[in-house]
């Protein structure tokens, strides 16, 4: 079995239990094949510490049969590659938010520089029969940079965030360069069929790629295969957490505290893609339209801090605080606070208990690659008395989770109606919907995702590489 080399912006120690399902799944694979996990250390070297000269220092740590290799970034590279291009251009545009993109011309050079540096540092660590799996938007040109160094390994790429339609993508200066770089991979994976469709229409209309059928395209003297591989969770692991002492303790405490209420829960990273203000407005609309929910419906919204140095994030934080404050001010009673908003991260072991104590989950992003909270909520439920998932049709998960209550999060009134329906739903219907949703998340779990991607990558046609076809 060939050795697996995983490359992602951040690297997780697979032995730590705090690591999420993805880290666990990748670790399982890496453990069975032996392998390397390569990425940024999370450390930024300030100019006073040697500036660019200090960059690129490798740290190696052995975690069982897996070697974790990380590299530091200089302040300048971090600001242009990570904050600038990855999170200031690619993240907003890929989530359809052209209005929030900052197309500073200097960022792309830093993005390219860091990808080149990653390739230079990684290449000497490679063995001839390694399979390389690159993850996410930070590292789109990595395979092209590796190929330029003569690397002819099998290389796959998975995009964890959505791919927008051609005309949105085309707003990025240098979009042609970015998509051309995808042709250096043997297999490109997306979260949903919608993303795959956007890829096919872009490469055919903008790059004049030849459609070879079977999700294969030829352009720039290369053939790339693409596919939709919706990422899943480790259902057993998550259910294990629900039944572990911390999970049970959290469940009991929430049930006791809110015994006279119906809990609604939202758990997100604080990000403008998550539709948080729209969600809080829909909850306000619920209280306005359906007063029978007063003194009963209680929303717990947890938003973990994220990229707080970016102004779009602080704006949303203030908007949320003000919305929640005004709802509590207008509707609250001495013994009932309608919204509890917390700007924090909840320990992973406590999440299943919180989900299980909730009658409804509000997962209503404006756009999301997949959304794992939706799947975690389902896995944590008691099948005999399960909660209801209210899910945005714009989350990648909506392609799979058809038996959730699907909503358009921009439509506040209809979302409020769906929340009301969820709160009233009879147990029989809740059970039926939950059972059908569980069969989907069990079949397409994170192990399926890992296995099916790597199997397809192993079968992808080997091709002459390292040729001068791709001058980035
Ligand atoms: P994204 O990757 O955009 O943050 P996902 O829903 O796909 O969104 O994944 C988020 C992961 O982070 C889930 O496993 C979820 O449980 C976890 N998470 C999100 N918000 C919080 C929070 N406030 N506290 C603890 N864990 C969180």
């Amino acid at each position: 079995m060939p050795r697996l080399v995983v490359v992602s912006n951040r690297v997780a120690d697979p032995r730590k239990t705090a690591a999420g399902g993805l880290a666990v799944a990748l670790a399982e694979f890496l453990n069975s094949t032996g392998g390397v996990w390569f990425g940024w250390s999370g450390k930024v070297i300030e100019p006073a510490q040697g500036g660019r000269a200090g960059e690129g220092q490798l740290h190696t740590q052995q975690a069982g049969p897996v070697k974790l290799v990380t590299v530091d970034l200089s302040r300048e590279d971090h600001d242009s590659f990570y904050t600038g291009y990855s999170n200031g251009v690619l993240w907003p545009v890929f989530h359809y938010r052209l209005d929030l993109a900052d197309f500073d011309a200097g960022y792309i050079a830093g993005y390219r520089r860091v990808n080149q540096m990653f390739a230079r540092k990684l290449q000497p660590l490679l063995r001839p029969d390694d399979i390389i799996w690159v993850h996410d938007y930070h590292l789109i040109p990595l395979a092209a940079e590796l190929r330029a160094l003569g690397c002819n390994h099998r290389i796959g790429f998975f995009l964890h965030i959505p791919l927008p339609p051609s005309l949105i993508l085309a707003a990025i200066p240098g979009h042609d360069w970015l998509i051309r770089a995808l042709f250096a991979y043997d297999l490109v994976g997306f979260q949903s069929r919608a993303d795959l469709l956007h890829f096919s229409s872009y490469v055919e209309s903008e790059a004049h790629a030849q459609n070879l059928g079977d999700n294969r395209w030829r352009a720039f003297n290369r053939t790339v295969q693409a596919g939709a591989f919706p990422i899943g969770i480790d259902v057993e692991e998550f259910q294990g957490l629900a039944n572990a002492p911390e999970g049970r303790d959290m469940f009991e405490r929430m049930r006791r505290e809110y015994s006279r209420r119906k809990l609604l829960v939202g758990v997100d990273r604080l990000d403008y893609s998550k539709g948080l203000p729209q969600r809080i407005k829909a909850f306000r609309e619920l209280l306005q339209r359906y007063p029978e929910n007063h003194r009963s419906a209680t929303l717990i919204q947890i938003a973990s801090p994220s990229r707080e140095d970016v102004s779009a994030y602080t704006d949303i934080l203030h908007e949320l605080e003000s919305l929640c404050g005004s709802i509590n001010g207008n509707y609250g009673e001495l013994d009932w606070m309608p919204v509890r908003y917390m700007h924090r991260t909840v320990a992973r072991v406590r999440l299943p208990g919180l989900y299980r104590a909730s009658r409804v989950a509000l997962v209503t992003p404006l756009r999301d690659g997949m959304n794992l909270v939706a799947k975690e909520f389902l896995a944590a439920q008691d099948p005999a008395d399960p909660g209801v998932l209210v899910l945005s049709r714009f989350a990648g998960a909506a392609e799979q989770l058809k038996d959730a209550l699907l909503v358009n999060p921009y439509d506040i009134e209809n979302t409020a109606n769906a929340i009301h329906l969820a709160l009233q739903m009879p147990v029989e219907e809740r059970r039926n919907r939950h059972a059908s949703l569980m069969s989907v998340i069990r079949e397409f779990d994170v192990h399926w995702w890992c296995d099916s991607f790597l199997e397809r990558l192993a079968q992808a046609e080997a091709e002459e590489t390292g040729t001068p076809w791709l001058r980035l």
Side-chain angles (χ1 to χ4, degrees):
M1 209 178 196
R3 188 176 73 151
L4 178 63
V5 175
V6 172
V7 191
S8 56
N9 181 52
R10 295 307 304 275
V11 168
D13 186 336
R15 295 162 307 177
K16 302 226 168 103
T17 49
L22 172 60
V24 172
L26 286 172
E28 221 177 70
F29 227 96
L30 286 167
N31 280 333
S32 68
T33 56
V36 176
W37 195 339
F38 185 92
W40 172 39
S41 63
K43 274 205 216 103
V44 178
I45 309 294
E46 300 297 341
Q49 295 170 267
R52 305 272 327 260
E55 79 171 11
Q57 198 186 326
L58 281 188
H59 309 276
T60 305
Q61 194 190 340
Q62 197 68 38
V66 185
K67 195 186 274 184
L68 306 177
V69 186
T70 57
V71 62
D72 301 338
L73 291 182
S74 69
R75 166 60 58 196
E76 187 188 345
D77 283 351
H78 170 269
D79 291 355
S80 53
F81 155 78
Y82 182 72
T83 314
Y85 201 73
S86 298
N87 291 320
V89 176
L90 298 181
W91 178 272
V93 175
F94 280 31
H95 286 88
Y96 300 27
R97 291 300 299 270
L98 284 174
D99 57 318
L100 294 176
D102 174 10
F103 296 116
D104 183 303
Y107 293 159
I108 196 163
Y111 183 72
R112 170 132 201 230
R113 202 162 57 231
V114 170
N115 272 275
Q116 277 172 335
M117 188 266 280
F118 267 40
R120 271 199 317 275
K121 298 284 176 184
L122 179 61
Q123 196 231 9
L125 309 177
L126 296 174
R127 295 183 194 154
D129 63 344
D130 284 345
I131 283 203
I132 306 171
W133 191 3
V134 180
H135 291 262
D136 229 358
Y137 60 104
H138 314 86
L139 299 173
I140 292 172
L142 185 66
E145 299 297 356
L146 283 167
R147 303 276 187 229
L149 298 176
C151 166
N152 54 13
H153 293 76
R154 201 61 65 87
I155 314 181
F157 176 77
F158 187 79
L159 184 68
H160 290 255
I161 66 175
L163 190 76
S166 306
L167 281 180
I168 294 185
L169 204 53
I172 301 179
H175 59 96
D176 44 344
W177 170 82
L178 211 54
I179 300 301
R180 188 162 80 236
L182 284 178
F183 278 79
Y185 291 97
D186 299 296
L187 174 65
V188 175
F190 298 102
Q191 295 275 26
S192 68
R193 288 193 305 275
D195 300 323
L196 180 60
L197 206 65
H198 294 155
F199 176 75
S200 73
S201 77
Y202 179 95
V203 298
E204 287 172 28
S205 65
E206 298 274 338
H208 307 293
Q210 187 190 355
N211 186 340
L212 303 177
D214 212 13
N215 287 332
R216 287 154 62 248
W217 286 269
R218 185 145 188 96
F220 315 111
N221 228 3
R222 284 269 306 171
T223 301
V224 71
Q225 194 178 0
F229 301 87
I231 196 168
I233 62 165
D234 187 331
V235 177
E236 256 101 68
E237 181 243 6
F238 208 75
Q239 289 181 331
L241 285 183
N243 290 316
E246 283 108 329
R248 283 174 179 275
D249 175 59
M250 185 71 182
F251 172 72
E252 304 284 339
R253 277 171 38 200
M254 297 306 286
R255 269 286 157 98
R256 224 176 301 127
E257 181 74 24
Y258 294 97
S259 56
R260 290 161 42 234
R261 320 279 184 218
K262 280 185 184 166
L263 273 191
L264 299 99
V265 70
V267 174
D268 308 77
R269 225 165 18 80
L270 183 75
D271 191 281
Y272 47 77
S273 63
K274 302 292 181 184
L276 292 167
Q278 288 83 351
R279 182 184 307 171
I280 304 293
K281 285 179 192 165
F283 183 69
R284 181 176 66 191
E285 185 69 20
L286 171 88
L287 299 180
Q288 166 77 28
R289 289 185 160 217
Y290 303 102
E292 59 266 47
N293 291 306
H294 291 193
R295 289 181 180 272
S296 167
T298 303
L299 171 61
I300 298 191
Q301 175 63 56
I302 297 168
S304 59
S306 159
R307 304 178 199 152
E308 295 192 313
D309 45 345
V310 179
S311 64
Y313 290 78
T314 41
D315 290 350
I316 212 155
L317 178 68
H318 294 138
E319 188 180 357
L320 276 178
E321 284 171 352
S322 131
L323 272 169
C324 294
S326 84
I327 293 177
N328 286 336
N330 290 328
Y331 292 95
E333 303 279 352
L334 284 174
D335 63 348
W336 173 59
M337 179 139 68
V339 189
R340 312 205 73 152
Y341 167 72
M342 276 154 278
H343 183 47
R344 53 171 289 192
T345 300
V346 174
R348 191 171 161 74
V349 289
R350 301 211 164 268
L351 276 180
L354 173 62
Y355 292 145
R356 199 178 174 103
S358 303
R359 173 55 67 85
V360 175
L362 301 182
V363 181
T364 53
L366 304 177
R367 190 76 186 110
D368 212 331
M370 173 53 56
N371 198 291
L372 294 179
V373 170
K375 296 182 175 182
E376 292 171 353
F377 173 78
L378 293 168
Q381 296 307 303
D382 171 2
D385 185 21
V388 180
L389 175 63
V390 174
L391 178 64
S392 163
R393 57 172 298 180
F394 304 123
E399 265 188 18
Q400 295 178 292
L401 305 180
K402 300 263 190 253
D403 277 321
L405 291 184
L406 295 185
V407 296
N408 168 7
Y410 293 96
D411 184 341
I412 305 289
E413 296 184 355
N414 274 321
T415 304
N417 291 342
I419 298 173
H420 185 61
L421 203 67
L423 286 166
Q424 308 297 319
M425 192 179 282
V427 67
E428 196 59 29
E429 183 176 354
R430 284 191 276 125
R431 279 189 200 144
N432 291 341
R433 285 179 185 265
H434 179 254
S436 115
L437 291 165
M438 279 307 292
S439 71
V440 177
I441 67 166
R442 270 189 209 288
E443 181 175 355
F444 300 101
D445 69 358
V446 74
H447 305 291
W448 170 88
W449 174 76
C450 230
D451 293 349
S452 57
F453 184 92
L454 289 172
E455 219 166 86
R456 188 89 66 85
L457 178 58
Q459 288 162 2
E461 275 166 46
E463 222 185 313
E464 248 326 271
T465 49
T467 48
W469 53 270
L470 225 186
R471 289 264 171 259
L472 283 184

